[in-house]
Every structure is written in C-alpha cells, then in structure tokens.
Amino acid sequence: MSPHPSQLKLLEAAADVIRTKGYDATTVDDLCAAAGVTKGSFFHHFASKEAVVLGAVAHWSAWTDEIFASAPYAQAADPRDRVFGYLDFRRDLLDREVADFTCLLGTLVQETYATHPAVREACDRGMSSHVAWLARDIEEARQRHAPEASWSAESVGFFIQAVLQGSFIFAKARLDSAIARQNLAHLRRYLESLLGSPQSNPH
C-alpha cells in the first residue's frame, strides 16, 4: 500500500534533512517545513520524530534498492561486470552535493547507536540487506573468476560498504568528495586483485 502523499513528503524530508543536519538537530518543525505540511498533519501520520525516522529508513532502503536494481550495470551478463559497475555507479554519485550522495542509514547509526536502539536496529537491517544483495553478485563472480578463493562474498560486501561509509565521513569532514574518489579507486584495484579486471575497464 502506497503511503499518503503527506506521509511520503515527510519520509523524503526526513531523509534529506537528517543527512544535512543530523538526527538530534532535526526537529519536527524542520521536517514539517521541508515537507510543506502542518504539524497536525505530521502527528496524524507519525507519533514522534523517531517514528518518522523509522519510516524513512524503510522508505530509503526500498528506494535505494530500486535505484541500484534498475541501474544499467545491473543488466550485465557477467557478475564481475556488475560488481565493478556498482563501484562506478557509486563513484558517479559523488558528482552530487555531499548531503545528496551520503547515506541516511550511515548518518543515523553513527549518531543514534547508543541512544535509539530501534533506529540502530533498523539501520543494521537496511545496511545488512544491501550487503546481502551485493554479495550475490560477488559470489557469482567468485565462482566464475576465482573459484579457488577462500574469502567469502559476504565479507567482501561488508568491506565495500565499510569503505563507502568511511569515505562519506571524510567527505563530510572536508565538504569534498576527493578522498572518497581516491578510496573507490583503491577499492577497485583491490577487487581486481580478487576477481581480475572486468571486461570493460575505463580506468
């Protein structure tokens, strides 16, 4: 069932405002202003700021899953090309403003892991689900291109996400994506050492 238009506006506003201001600094008034809805409308749909944030985490996870699944690289026949296509897609997202390419879940969990267990658990589910999705392509690529390898696809998936989330932190610290780009270049070279070079390598 699709969310009510006002509810959807609040979910999207939560993702945008929190990536810019953080969880604690974001108020219900901020969310209402960003969504263009009244406070009465907010509390009609959500009992609290945490409630809308939990909804935003689920909405974000579904939305990003759709974006990655529908990206052109996802249609590549060779799973190795899909893995490297994912990295290139992530690199291209760095052309946006910092708040637009960073991750809502990563932003939230850094700030709330010790104070809002429901938010932490929702972020863990979302990030782990993304790793599991990515690991399917990594495992297919391992079986095809590195069948004797002893590493697990899941461990590589978590490593990729750790590099990305760490890169987002430096991008925020410096208000610049340069270090993130360097990290993705290093990550690409590391994955080439595991899987070999993809069929089409622009680097």
Side-chain angles (χ1 to χ4, degrees):
M1 182 177 177
S2 298
H4 184 277
S6 294
Q7 189 178 18
L8 180 59
K9 288 178 181 178
L10 285 164
L11 295 174
E12 293 175 344
D16 292 340
V17 176
I18 289 170
R19 281 186 294 162
T20 302
K21 297 183 64 173
Y23 180 86
D24 285 339
T26 296
T27 66
V28 170
D29 288 333
D30 291 332
L31 298 177
C32 291
V37 304
T38 66
K39 212 165 185 178
S41 179
F42 178 96
F43 286 109
H44 174 72
H45 295 295
F46 300 102
S48 64
K49 182 175 77 171
E50 182 174 285
V52 74
V53 167
L54 290 172
V57 168
H59 179 70
W60 170 273
S61 296
W63 175 66
T64 53
D65 284 351
E66 183 178 342
I67 287 175
F68 289 115
S70 62
Y73 77 84
Q75 308 308 314
D78 190 323
R80 181 172 63 187
D81 289 342
R82 297 198 296 272
V83 172
F84 284 94
Y86 174 84
L87 293 189
D88 293 339
F89 188 77
R90 285 289 204 172
R91 179 202 62 212
D92 293 344
L93 291 176
L94 298 176
D95 292 335
R96 304 181 181 188
E97 294 297 319
V98 171
D100 293 332
F101 67 71
T102 52
C103 176
L104 172 66
L105 278 56
T107 299
L108 277 169
V109 79
Q110 289 173 55
E111 189 176 356
T112 66
Y113 75 96
T115 55
H116 295 78
V119 175
R120 178 190 60 76
E121 291 167 4
C123 291
D124 180 32
R125 285 193 300 271
M127 291 189 291
S128 296
S129 175
H130 187 73
V131 168
W133 168 81
L134 180 59
R136 288 195 289 272
D137 281 342
I138 297 171
E139 176 59 20
E140 287 186 36
R142 187 193 68 79
Q143 292 180 10
R144 182 178 298 192
H145 300 289
E148 303 302 318
S150 60
W151 47 263
S152 73
E154 181 184 52
S155 68
V156 174
F158 275 111
F159 180 69
I160 291 172
Q161 295 309 308
V163 172
L164 287 166
Q165 295 294 344
S167 296
F168 296 155
I169 291 173
F170 278 107
K172 291 174 182 176
R174 300 198 173 189
L175 294 179
D176 186 272
S177 64
I179 290 178
R181 293 179 187 279
Q182 293 171 14
N183 289 347
L184 281 175
H186 286 306
L187 179 58
R188 167 178 275 271
R189 287 188 285 271
Y190 173 69
L191 291 180
E192 286 176 348
S193 75
L194 298 182
L195 296 170
S197 298
Q199 294 178 5
S200 177
N201 189 345
H203 304 283

PDB file of all heavy atoms in Angstrom, residues 139-172:
ATOM      1  N   GLU A 139      29.467 -13.329  -5.072  1.00  0.00           N
ATOM      2  CA  GLU A 139      29.611 -14.786  -5.018  1.00  0.00           C
ATOM      3  C   GLU A 139      29.571 -15.393  -6.424  1.00  0.00           C
ATOM      4  O   GLU A 139      30.365 -16.304  -6.735  1.00  0.00           O
ATOM      5  CB  GLU A 139      28.521 -15.392  -4.139  1.00  0.00           C
ATOM      6  CG  GLU A 139      28.527 -16.926  -4.082  1.00  0.00           C
ATOM      7  CD  GLU A 139      29.826 -17.516  -3.573  1.00  0.00           C
ATOM      8  OE1 GLU A 139      30.599 -16.791  -2.897  1.00  0.00           O
ATOM      9  OE2 GLU A 139      30.061 -18.703  -3.830  1.00  0.00           O
ATOM     10  N   GLU A 140      28.685 -14.907  -7.262  1.00  0.00           N
ATOM     11  CA  GLU A 140      28.664 -15.403  -8.649  1.00  0.00           C
ATOM     12  C   GLU A 140      29.975 -15.093  -9.348  1.00  0.00           C
ATOM     13  O   GLU A 140      30.506 -15.925 -10.097  1.00  0.00           O
ATOM     14  CB  GLU A 140      27.501 -14.778  -9.412  1.00  0.00           C
ATOM     15  CG  GLU A 140      26.131 -15.304  -9.032  1.00  0.00           C
ATOM     16  CD  GLU A 140      25.050 -14.746  -9.938  1.00  0.00           C
ATOM     17  OE1 GLU A 140      25.326 -14.559 -11.144  1.00  0.00           O
ATOM     18  OE2 GLU A 140      23.941 -14.490  -9.445  1.00  0.00           O
ATOM     19  N   ALA A 141      30.511 -13.890  -9.105  1.00  0.00           N
ATOM     20  CA  ALA A 141      31.791 -13.513  -9.718  1.00  0.00           C
ATOM     21  C   ALA A 141      32.923 -14.372  -9.164  1.00  0.00           C
ATOM     22  O   ALA A 141      33.828 -14.783  -9.912  1.00  0.00           O
ATOM     23  CB  ALA A 141      32.067 -12.034  -9.466  1.00  0.00           C
ATOM     24  N   ARG A 142      32.889 -14.682  -7.872  1.00  0.00           N
ATOM     25  CA  ARG A 142      33.920 -15.539  -7.282  1.00  0.00           C
ATOM     26  C   ARG A 142      33.892 -16.921  -7.910  1.00  0.00           C
ATOM     27  O   ARG A 142      34.942 -17.477  -8.269  1.00  0.00           O
ATOM     28  CB  ARG A 142      33.703 -15.650  -5.767  1.00  0.00           C
ATOM     29  CG  ARG A 142      34.822 -16.394  -5.030  1.00  0.00           C
ATOM     30  CD  ARG A 142      34.434 -16.752  -3.611  1.00  0.00           C
ATOM     31  NE  ARG A 142      33.369 -17.761  -3.580  1.00  0.00           N
ATOM     32  CZ  ARG A 142      33.564 -19.063  -3.771  1.00  0.00           C
ATOM     33  NH1 ARG A 142      34.792 -19.532  -4.012  1.00  0.00           N
ATOM     34  NH2 ARG A 142      32.556 -19.911  -3.734  1.00  0.00           N
ATOM     35  N   GLN A 143      32.696 -17.490  -8.058  1.00  0.00           N
ATOM     36  CA  GLN A 143      32.583 -18.826  -8.634  1.00  0.00           C
ATOM     37  C   GLN A 143      33.072 -18.866 -10.075  1.00  0.00           C
ATOM     38  O   GLN A 143      33.672 -19.858 -10.498  1.00  0.00           O
ATOM     39  CB  GLN A 143      31.134 -19.298  -8.555  1.00  0.00           C
ATOM     40  CG  GLN A 143      30.651 -19.567  -7.139  1.00  0.00           C
ATOM     41  CD  GLN A 143      29.215 -20.028  -7.092  1.00  0.00           C
ATOM     42  OE1 GLN A 143      28.609 -20.332  -8.113  1.00  0.00           O
ATOM     43  NE2 GLN A 143      28.632 -20.071  -5.907  1.00  0.00           N
ATOM     44  N   ARG A 144      32.861 -17.791 -10.798  1.00  0.00           N
ATOM     45  CA  ARG A 144      33.244 -17.776 -12.214  1.00  0.00           C
ATOM     46  C   ARG A 144      34.712 -17.413 -12.418  1.00  0.00           C
ATOM     47  O   ARG A 144      35.382 -17.979 -13.286  1.00  0.00           O
ATOM     48  CB  ARG A 144      32.362 -16.784 -12.980  1.00  0.00           C
ATOM     49  CG  ARG A 144      32.669 -16.754 -14.486  1.00  0.00           C
ATOM     50  CD  ARG A 144      31.777 -15.820 -15.262  1.00  0.00           C
ATOM     51  NE  ARG A 144      30.360 -16.197 -15.193  1.00  0.00           N
ATOM     52  CZ  ARG A 144      29.422 -15.677 -15.978  1.00  0.00           C
ATOM     53  NH1 ARG A 144      29.733 -14.764 -16.887  1.00  0.00           N
ATOM     54  NH2 ARG A 144      28.163 -16.065 -15.852  1.00  0.00           N
ATOM     55  N   HIS A 145      35.222 -16.464 -11.629  1.00  0.00           N
ATOM     56  CA  HIS A 145      36.549 -15.902 -11.904  1.00  0.00           C
ATOM     57  C   HIS A 145      37.603 -16.219 -10.844  1.00  0.00           C
ATOM     58  O   HIS A 145      38.799 -16.036 -11.102  1.00  0.00           O
ATOM     59  CB  HIS A 145      36.446 -14.381 -12.066  1.00  0.00           C
ATOM     60  CG  HIS A 145      35.556 -13.961 -13.191  1.00  0.00           C
ATOM     61  ND1 HIS A 145      35.912 -14.124 -14.518  1.00  0.00           N
ATOM     62  CD2 HIS A 145      34.311 -13.398 -13.191  1.00  0.00           C
ATOM     63  CE1 HIS A 145      34.928 -13.665 -15.295  1.00  0.00           C
ATOM     64  NE2 HIS A 145      33.955 -13.231 -14.514  1.00  0.00           N
ATOM     65  N   ALA A 146      37.206 -16.681  -9.658  1.00  0.00           N
ATOM     66  CA  ALA A 146      38.174 -17.006  -8.611  1.00  0.00           C
ATOM     67  C   ALA A 146      37.660 -18.184  -7.784  1.00  0.00           C
ATOM     68  O   ALA A 146      37.499 -18.088  -6.567  1.00  0.00           O
ATOM     69  CB  ALA A 146      38.424 -15.790  -7.718  1.00  0.00           C
ATOM     70  N   PRO A 147      37.397 -19.311  -8.431  1.00  0.00           N
ATOM     71  CA  PRO A 147      36.743 -20.441  -7.744  1.00  0.00           C
ATOM     72  C   PRO A 147      37.570 -21.030  -6.609  1.00  0.00           C
ATOM     73  O   PRO A 147      37.001 -21.688  -5.729  1.00  0.00           O
ATOM     74  CB  PRO A 147      36.521 -21.457  -8.871  1.00  0.00           C
ATOM     75  CG  PRO A 147      37.538 -21.099  -9.906  1.00  0.00           C
ATOM     76  CD  PRO A 147      37.673 -19.614  -9.846  1.00  0.00           C
ATOM     77  N   GLU A 148      38.870 -20.815  -6.593  1.00  0.00           N
ATOM     78  CA  GLU A 148      39.711 -21.372  -5.531  1.00  0.00           C
ATOM     79  C   GLU A 148      39.862 -20.414  -4.358  1.00  0.00           C
ATOM     80  O   GLU A 148      40.505 -20.751  -3.355  1.00  0.00           O
ATOM     81  CB  GLU A 148      41.105 -21.699  -6.093  1.00  0.00           C
ATOM     82  CG  GLU A 148      41.101 -22.655  -7.278  1.00  0.00           C
ATOM     83  CD  GLU A 148      40.426 -23.976  -6.938  1.00  0.00           C
ATOM     84  OE1 GLU A 148      40.679 -24.494  -5.830  1.00  0.00           O
ATOM     85  OE2 GLU A 148      39.647 -24.485  -7.772  1.00  0.00           O
ATOM     86  N   ALA A 149      39.278 -19.235  -4.451  1.00  0.00           N
ATOM     87  CA  ALA A 149      39.442 -18.230  -3.396  1.00  0.00           C
ATOM     88  C   ALA A 149      38.795 -18.696  -2.093  1.00  0.00           C
ATOM     89  O   ALA A 149      37.746 -19.342  -2.095  1.00  0.00           O
ATOM     90  CB  ALA A 149      38.828 -16.907  -3.835  1.00  0.00           C
ATOM     91  N   SER A 150      39.433 -18.341  -0.973  1.00  0.00           N
ATOM     92  CA  SER A 150      38.925 -18.756   0.332  1.00  0.00           C
ATOM     93  C   SER A 150      38.093 -17.683   1.026  1.00  0.00           C
ATOM     94  O   SER A 150      37.448 -17.950   2.036  1.00  0.00           O
ATOM     95  CB  SER A 150      40.098 -19.149   1.242  1.00  0.00           C
ATOM     96  OG  SER A 150      40.980 -18.048   1.421  1.00  0.00           O
ATOM     97  N   TRP A 151      38.099 -16.472   0.497  1.00  0.00           N
ATOM     98  CA  TRP A 151      37.321 -15.398   1.120  1.00  0.00           C
ATOM     99  C   TRP A 151      35.829 -15.574   0.832  1.00  0.00           C
ATOM    100  O   TRP A 151      35.458 -16.239  -0.136  1.00  0.00           O
ATOM    101  CB  TRP A 151      37.803 -14.033   0.644  1.00  0.00           C
ATOM    102  CG  TRP A 151      37.988 -13.891  -0.848  1.00  0.00           C
ATOM    103  CD1 TRP A 151      39.161 -14.015  -1.541  1.00  0.00           C
ATOM    104  CD2 TRP A 151      36.985 -13.601  -1.836  1.00  0.00           C
ATOM    105  NE1 TRP A 151      38.948 -13.823  -2.888  1.00  0.00           N
ATOM    106  CE2 TRP A 151      37.617 -13.564  -3.101  1.00  0.00           C
ATOM    107  CE3 TRP A 151      35.614 -13.371  -1.773  1.00  0.00           C
ATOM    108  CZ2 TRP A 151      36.930 -13.305  -4.281  1.00  0.00           C
ATOM    109  CZ3 TRP A 151      34.921 -13.110  -2.949  1.00  0.00           C
ATOM    110  CH2 TRP A 151      35.578 -13.082  -4.184  1.00  0.00           C
ATOM    111  N   SER A 152      34.998 -14.997   1.675  1.00  0.00           N
ATOM    112  CA  SER A 152      33.553 -15.093   1.471  1.00  0.00           C
ATOM    113  C   SER A 152      33.019 -13.840   0.801  1.00  0.00           C
ATOM    114  O   SER A 152      33.527 -12.726   1.008  1.00  0.00           O
ATOM    115  CB  SER A 152      32.827 -15.294   2.808  1.00  0.00           C
ATOM    116  OG  SER A 152      32.824 -14.091   3.565  1.00  0.00           O
ATOM    117  N   ALA A 153      31.988 -14.014   0.003  1.00  0.00           N
ATOM    118  CA  ALA A 153      31.360 -12.877  -0.682  1.00  0.00           C
ATOM    119  C   ALA A 153      30.783 -11.895   0.334  1.00  0.00           C
ATOM    120  O   ALA A 153      30.863 -10.676   0.145  1.00  0.00           O
ATOM    121  CB  ALA A 153      30.267 -13.384  -1.617  1.00  0.00           C
ATOM    122  N   GLU A 154      30.227 -12.411   1.414  1.00  0.00           N
ATOM    123  CA  GLU A 154      29.650 -11.530   2.426  1.00  0.00           C
ATOM    124  C   GLU A 154      30.716 -10.623   3.036  1.00  0.00           C
ATOM    125  O   GLU A 154      30.490  -9.421   3.220  1.00  0.00           O
ATOM    126  CB  GLU A 154      28.979 -12.350   3.526  1.00  0.00           C
ATOM    127  CG  GLU A 154      28.340 -11.484   4.600  1.00  0.00           C
ATOM    128  CD  GLU A 154      27.763 -12.299   5.742  1.00  0.00           C
ATOM    129  OE1 GLU A 154      28.508 -13.142   6.305  1.00  0.00           O
ATOM    130  OE2 GLU A 154      26.586 -12.102   6.072  1.00  0.00           O
ATOM    131  N   SER A 155      31.889 -11.182   3.341  1.00  0.00           N
ATOM    132  CA  SER A 155      32.949 -10.376   3.944  1.00  0.00           C
ATOM    133  C   SER A 155      33.400  -9.271   2.996  1.00  0.00           C
ATOM    134  O   SER A 155      33.687  -8.149   3.429  1.00  0.00           O
ATOM    135  CB  SER A 155      34.137 -11.255   4.348  1.00  0.00           C
ATOM    136  OG  SER A 155      34.812 -11.781   3.215  1.00  0.00           O
ATOM    137  N   VAL A 156      33.459  -9.568   1.712  1.00  0.00           N
ATOM    138  CA  VAL A 156      33.838  -8.548   0.730  1.00  0.00           C
ATOM    139  C   VAL A 156      32.739  -7.491   0.620  1.00  0.00           C
ATOM    140  O   VAL A 156      33.011  -6.301   0.506  1.00  0.00           O
ATOM    141  CB  VAL A 156      34.136  -9.187  -0.641  1.00  0.00           C
ATOM    142  CG1 VAL A 156      34.395  -8.114  -1.696  1.00  0.00           C
ATOM    143  CG2 VAL A 156      35.348 -10.114  -0.535  1.00  0.00           C
ATOM    144  N   GLY A 157      31.484  -7.926   0.688  1.00  0.00           N
ATOM    145  CA  GLY A 157      30.385  -6.973   0.652  1.00  0.00           C
ATOM    146  C   GLY A 157      30.437  -6.007   1.814  1.00  0.00           C
ATOM    147  O   GLY A 157      30.246  -4.786   1.636  1.00  0.00           O
ATOM    148  N   PHE A 158      30.710  -6.512   3.011  1.00  0.00           N
ATOM    149  CA  PHE A 158      30.831  -5.626   4.175  1.00  0.00           C
ATOM    150  C   PHE A 158      32.041  -4.707   4.032  1.00  0.00           C
ATOM    151  O   PHE A 158      31.992  -3.535   4.438  1.00  0.00           O
ATOM    152  CB  PHE A 158      30.938  -6.442   5.467  1.00  0.00           C
ATOM    153  CG  PHE A 158      29.604  -6.848   6.024  1.00  0.00           C
ATOM    154  CD1 PHE A 158      29.205  -8.182   6.016  1.00  0.00           C
ATOM    155  CD2 PHE A 158      28.740  -5.906   6.553  1.00  0.00           C
ATOM    156  CE1 PHE A 158      27.975  -8.567   6.533  1.00  0.00           C
ATOM    157  CE2 PHE A 158      27.503  -6.283   7.074  1.00  0.00           C
ATOM    158  CZ  PHE A 158      27.111  -7.613   7.058  1.00  0.00           C
ATOM    159  N   PHE A 159      33.128  -5.218   3.462  1.00  0.00           N
ATOM    160  CA  PHE A 159      34.314  -4.375   3.269  1.00  0.00           C
ATOM    161  C   PHE A 159      34.008  -3.232   2.303  1.00  0.00           C
ATOM    162  O   PHE A 159      34.381  -2.080   2.550  1.00  0.00           O
ATOM    163  CB  PHE A 159      35.479  -5.217   2.744  1.00  0.00           C
ATOM    164  CG  PHE A 159      36.728  -4.426   2.518  1.00  0.00           C
ATOM    165  CD1 PHE A 159      37.438  -3.907   3.588  1.00  0.00           C
ATOM    166  CD2 PHE A 159      37.194  -4.185   1.231  1.00  0.00           C
ATOM    167  CE1 PHE A 159      38.597  -3.163   3.379  1.00  0.00           C
ATOM    168  CE2 PHE A 159      38.340  -3.450   1.017  1.00  0.00           C
ATOM    169  CZ  PHE A 159      39.052  -2.933   2.088  1.00  0.00           C
ATOM    170  N   ILE A 160      33.307  -3.526   1.226  1.00  0.00           N
ATOM    171  CA  ILE A 160      32.930  -2.475   0.271  1.00  0.00           C
ATOM    172  C   ILE A 160      32.107  -1.396   0.967  1.00  0.00           C
ATOM    173  O   ILE A 160      32.350  -0.192   0.803  1.00  0.00           O
ATOM    174  CB  ILE A 160      32.142  -3.076  -0.911  1.00  0.00           C
ATOM    175  CG1 ILE A 160      33.053  -3.943  -1.778  1.00  0.00           C
ATOM    176  CG2 ILE A 160      31.497  -1.963  -1.759  1.00  0.00           C
ATOM    177  CD1 ILE A 160      32.315  -4.733  -2.846  1.00  0.00           C
ATOM    178  N   GLN A 161      31.138  -1.822   1.767  1.00  0.00           N
ATOM    179  CA  GLN A 161      30.297  -0.849   2.458  1.00  0.00           C
ATOM    180  C   GLN A 161      31.076  -0.079   3.511  1.00  0.00           C
ATOM    181  O   GLN A 161      30.814   1.114   3.741  1.00  0.00           O
ATOM    182  CB  GLN A 161      29.087  -1.549   3.072  1.00  0.00           C
ATOM    183  CG  GLN A 161      28.142  -2.143   2.044  1.00  0.00           C
ATOM    184  CD  GLN A 161      27.752  -1.146   0.962  1.00  0.00           C
ATOM    185  OE1 GLN A 161      27.301  -0.042   1.263  1.00  0.00           O
ATOM    186  NE2 GLN A 161      27.937  -1.519  -0.286  1.00  0.00           N
ATOM    187  N   ALA A 162      32.033  -0.715   4.172  1.00  0.00           N
ATOM    188  CA  ALA A 162      32.858  -0.018   5.146  1.00  0.00           C
ATOM    189  C   ALA A 162      33.687   1.076   4.475  1.00  0.00           C
ATOM    190  O   ALA A 162      33.827   2.182   5.009  1.00  0.00           O
ATOM    191  CB  ALA A 162      33.771  -1.010   5.877  1.00  0.00           C
ATOM    192  N   VAL A 163      34.231   0.773   3.304  1.00  0.00           N
ATOM    193  CA  VAL A 163      34.983   1.788   2.557  1.00  0.00           C
ATOM    194  C   VAL A 163      34.063   2.949   2.171  1.00  0.00           C
ATOM    195  O   VAL A 163      34.425   4.124   2.314  1.00  0.00           O
ATOM    196  CB  VAL A 163      35.640   1.171   1.308  1.00  0.00           C
ATOM    197  CG1 VAL A 163      36.257   2.267   0.430  1.00  0.00           C
ATOM    198  CG2 VAL A 163      36.704   0.160   1.712  1.00  0.00           C
ATOM    199  N   LEU A 164      32.876   2.632   1.699  1.00  0.00           N
ATOM    200  CA  LEU A 164      31.938   3.681   1.298  1.00  0.00           C
ATOM    201  C   LEU A 164      31.530   4.546   2.488  1.00  0.00           C
ATOM    202  O   LEU A 164      31.579   5.782   2.408  1.00  0.00           O
ATOM    203  CB  LEU A 164      30.699   3.065   0.649  1.00  0.00           C
ATOM    204  CG  LEU A 164      30.890   2.502  -0.756  1.00  0.00           C
ATOM    205  CD1 LEU A 164      29.703   1.635  -1.148  1.00  0.00           C
ATOM    206  CD2 LEU A 164      31.075   3.641  -1.760  1.00  0.00           C
ATOM    207  N   GLN A 165      31.128   3.922   3.589  1.00  0.00           N
ATOM    208  CA  GLN A 165      30.678   4.697   4.744  1.00  0.00           C
ATOM    209  C   GLN A 165      31.817   5.539   5.326  1.00  0.00           C
ATOM    210  O   GLN A 165      31.611   6.697   5.717  1.00  0.00           O
ATOM    211  CB  GLN A 165      30.095   3.771   5.810  1.00  0.00           C
ATOM    212  CG  GLN A 165      28.825   3.037   5.391  1.00  0.00           C
ATOM    213  CD  GLN A 165      27.633   3.964   5.178  1.00  0.00           C
ATOM    214  OE1 GLN A 165      27.631   5.105   5.606  1.00  0.00           O
ATOM    215  NE2 GLN A 165      26.608   3.447   4.520  1.00  0.00           N
ATOM    216  N   GLY A 166      33.016   4.979   5.391  1.00  0.00           N
ATOM    217  CA  GLY A 166      34.162   5.761   5.843  1.00  0.00           C
ATOM    218  C   GLY A 166      34.459   6.917   4.916  1.00  0.00           C
ATOM    219  O   GLY A 166      34.809   8.024   5.356  1.00  0.00           O
ATOM    220  N   SER A 167      34.293   6.685   3.625  1.00  0.00           N
ATOM    221  CA  SER A 167      34.519   7.750   2.640  1.00  0.00           C
ATOM    222  C   SER A 167      33.514   8.880   2.817  1.00  0.00           C
ATOM    223  O   SER A 167      33.849  10.063   2.663  1.00  0.00           O
ATOM    224  CB  SER A 167      34.415   7.177   1.223  1.00  0.00           C
ATOM    225  OG  SER A 167      35.446   6.229   0.993  1.00  0.00           O
ATOM    226  N   PHE A 168      32.278   8.512   3.142  1.00  0.00           N
ATOM    227  CA  PHE A 168      31.257   9.544   3.365  1.00  0.00           C
ATOM    228  C   PHE A 168      31.619  10.414   4.565  1.00  0.00           C
ATOM    229  O   PHE A 168      31.373  11.624   4.571  1.00  0.00           O
ATOM    230  CB  PHE A 168      29.892   8.898   3.595  1.00  0.00           C
ATOM    231  CG  PHE A 168      29.360   8.125   2.413  1.00  0.00           C
ATOM    232  CD1 PHE A 168      28.447   7.101   2.593  1.00  0.00           C
ATOM    233  CD2 PHE A 168      29.777   8.417   1.123  1.00  0.00           C
ATOM    234  CE1 PHE A 168      27.948   6.390   1.516  1.00  0.00           C
ATOM    235  CE2 PHE A 168      29.290   7.698   0.034  1.00  0.00           C
ATOM    236  CZ  PHE A 168      28.373   6.687   0.234  1.00  0.00           C
ATOM    237  N   ILE A 169      32.213   9.815   5.596  1.00  0.00           N
ATOM    238  CA  ILE A 169      32.621  10.586   6.770  1.00  0.00           C
ATOM    239  C   ILE A 169      33.667  11.626   6.380  1.00  0.00           C
ATOM    240  O   ILE A 169      33.590  12.798   6.780  1.00  0.00           O
ATOM    241  CB  ILE A 169      33.152   9.651   7.868  1.00  0.00           C
ATOM    242  CG1 ILE A 169      32.003   8.816   8.453  1.00  0.00           C
ATOM    243  CG2 ILE A 169      33.840  10.449   8.978  1.00  0.00           C
ATOM    244  CD1 ILE A 169      32.454   7.757   9.430  1.00  0.00           C
ATOM    245  N   PHE A 170      34.664  11.220   5.599  1.00  0.00           N
ATOM    246  CA  PHE A 170      35.687  12.175   5.176  1.00  0.00           C
ATOM    247  C   PHE A 170      35.111  13.240   4.247  1.00  0.00           C
ATOM    248  O   PHE A 170      35.535  14.400   4.283  1.00  0.00           O
ATOM    249  CB  PHE A 170      36.855  11.445   4.505  1.00  0.00           C
ATOM    250  CG  PHE A 170      37.832  10.881   5.483  1.00  0.00           C
ATOM    251  CD1 PHE A 170      37.893   9.518   5.721  1.00  0.00           C
ATOM    252  CD2 PHE A 170      38.689  11.709   6.191  1.00  0.00           C
ATOM    253  CE1 PHE A 170      38.792   8.988   6.639  1.00  0.00           C
ATOM    254  CE2 PHE A 170      39.579  11.193   7.113  1.00  0.00           C
ATOM    255  CZ  PHE A 170      39.640   9.829   7.338  1.00  0.00           C
ATOM    256  N   ALA A 171      34.151  12.858   3.412  1.00  0.00           N
ATOM    257  CA  ALA A 171      33.518  13.843   2.547  1.00  0.00           C
ATOM    258  C   ALA A 171      32.801  14.908   3.373  1.00  0.00           C
ATOM    259  O   ALA A 171      32.834  16.103   3.042  1.00  0.00           O
ATOM    260  CB  ALA A 171      32.534  13.156   1.602  1.00  0.00           C
ATOM    261  N   LYS A 172      32.163  14.479   4.464  1.00  0.00           N
ATOM    262  CA  LYS A 172      31.503  15.440   5.346  1.00  0.00           C
ATOM    263  C   LYS A 172      32.535  16.297   6.082  1.00  0.00           C
ATOM    264  O   LYS A 172      32.345  17.502   6.265  1.00  0.00           O
ATOM    265  CB  LYS A 172      30.623  14.707   6.349  1.00  0.00           C
ATOM    266  CG  LYS A 172      29.405  14.046   5.744  1.00  0.00           C
ATOM    267  CD  LYS A 172      28.684  13.221   6.808  1.00  0.00           C
ATOM    268  CE  LYS A 172      27.484  12.501   6.243  1.00  0.00           C
ATOM    269  NZ  LYS A 172      26.850  11.627   7.251  1.00  0.00           N
TER     270      LYS A 172
END
